[in-house]
Amino acid sequence: AQSVTQPDIHITVSEGASLELRCNYSYGATPYLFWYVQSPGQGLQLLLKYFSGDTLVQGIKGFEAEFKRSQSSFNLRKPSVHWSDAAEYFCAVGPFGNEKLTFGTGTRLTIIP
Amino acid sequence: KAGVTQTPRYLIKTRGQQVTLSCSPISGHRSVSWYQQTPGQGLQFLFEYFSETQRNKGNFPGRFSGRQFSNSRSEMNVSTLELGDSALYLCASSLGGLTSSYEQYFGPGTRLTVT
């Protein structure tokens, strides 16, 4: 069965600092990988996705993620965070031919001035 | 293009009652998925409908059911509500089909509180 692990429950970074959120997955084949962001009281917004090809993918709001097959990881990065990036971030995996997404438990990001 | 809409946004029900939540997908999207989000269990997949047929189902009891109409709008029903059903219920739509990119677009959710 597929699974997603986000080892960091809560991360605090200073505004302007770089950010890396970790995501590890377990799946028998190359999965479809996603990062979503959820602001308080809101639904989830898709930041970026990986299906195949270039292992470094660019997303919205200046985020990028790198797929590393050997480490079963899909970490999210941003070179310089803004106060508006404070939110909860979810990594998700979905197999080919199936709309069911399996989500990680999320990482809550706090930005300090 | 309008996003995914969910109604109502907030709902308070009593244990034992039933509730129906509604989701209107993005125009042209034929797949609608439902998720339950709670602090303890996180985001869990309930079921997915494509072209009026349930295509995938998560591990939830039969009290949770859904349906999809010919215009792709979907409803989710929970019967005999329990306190543990209090959650944010999220609907997501996608193009669906074999050539789908499998990108799901989420609505703002319906916050259900069971007292």
Side-chain angles (χ1 to χ4, degrees):
Chain A
Q2 62 201 44
S3 66
V4 179
T5 302
Q6 293 181 249
D8 304 305
I9 296 174
H10 184 206
I11 284 182
T12 300
V13 299
S14 300
E15 191 169 14
S18 63
L19 171 71
E20 182 168 26
L21 303 182
R22 296 182 291 166
C23 171
N24 292 96
Y25 67 90
S26 173
Y27 185 64
T30 300
Y32 289 176
L33 294 160
F34 306 83
W35 273 100
Y36 284 86
V37 60
Q38 185 179 35
S39 298
Q42 302 296 315
L44 279 70
Q45 181 182 21
L46 179 64
L47 284 175
L48 48 75
K49 62 186 185 290
Y50 173 79
F51 292 155
S52 64
D54 193 348
T55 57
L56 184 63
V57 293
Q58 303 296 321
I60 62 171
K61 303 186 180 188
F63 285 93
E64 66 177 27
E66 186 172 13
F67 169 63
K68 292 186 177 180
R69 184 190 306 273
S70 61
Q71 298 176 21
S72 296
S73 69
F74 188 57
N75 294 348
L76 182 71
R77 300 194 295 246
K78 186 169 185 178
S80 176
V81 297
H82 185 261
W83 63 266
S84 60
D85 293 326
E88 187 139 23
Y89 291 79
F90 293 92
C91 181
V93 60
F96 177 79
N98 192 320
E99 300 284 350
K100 170 185 173 180
L101 289 180
T102 299
F103 284 87
T105 50
T107 297
R108 184 160 60 93
L109 175 65
T110 298
I111 308 294
I112 55 176
Chain B
K1 192 183 265 192
V4 178
T5 58
Q6 292 186 245
T7 56
R9 291 293 311 278
Y10 302 91
L11 206 49
I12 299 175
K13 289 288 189 178
T14 304
R15 232 175 350 173
Q17 289 185 316
Q18 77 164 18
V19 66
T20 299
L21 312 182
S22 181
C23 172
S24 293
I26 292 171
S27 177
H29 284 192
R30 296 165 62 194
S31 170
V32 173
S33 298
W34 288 89
Y35 294 84
Q36 182 196 64
Q37 186 177 25
T38 60
Q41 299 298 317
L43 277 153
Q44 294 185 287
F45 173 78
L46 280 155
F47 30 66
E48 182 228 351
Y49 286 86
F50 177 77
S51 292
E52 302 179 64
T53 301
Q54 187 180 86
R55 191 161 67 169
N56 290 294
K57 189 177 187 304
N59 297 322
F60 278 81
R63 300 186 295 107
F64 292 81
S65 62
R67 58 177 176 168
Q68 187 180 34
F69 302 94
S70 58
N71 61 358
S72 294
R73 190 177 69 85
S74 176
E75 288 182 347
M76 188 192 107
N77 185 76
V78 188
S79 62
T80 319
L81 284 165
E82 299 176 0
L83 294 178
D85 297 333
S86 294
L88 180 68
Y89 289 89
L90 292 162
C91 165
S93 78
S94 65
L95 287 169
L98 294 177
T99 58
S100 167
S101 63
Y102 304 101
E103 294 178 32
Q104 294 191 7
Y105 296 85
F106 283 78
T110 294
R111 172 74 62 186
L112 172 64
T113 302
V114 182
T115 62

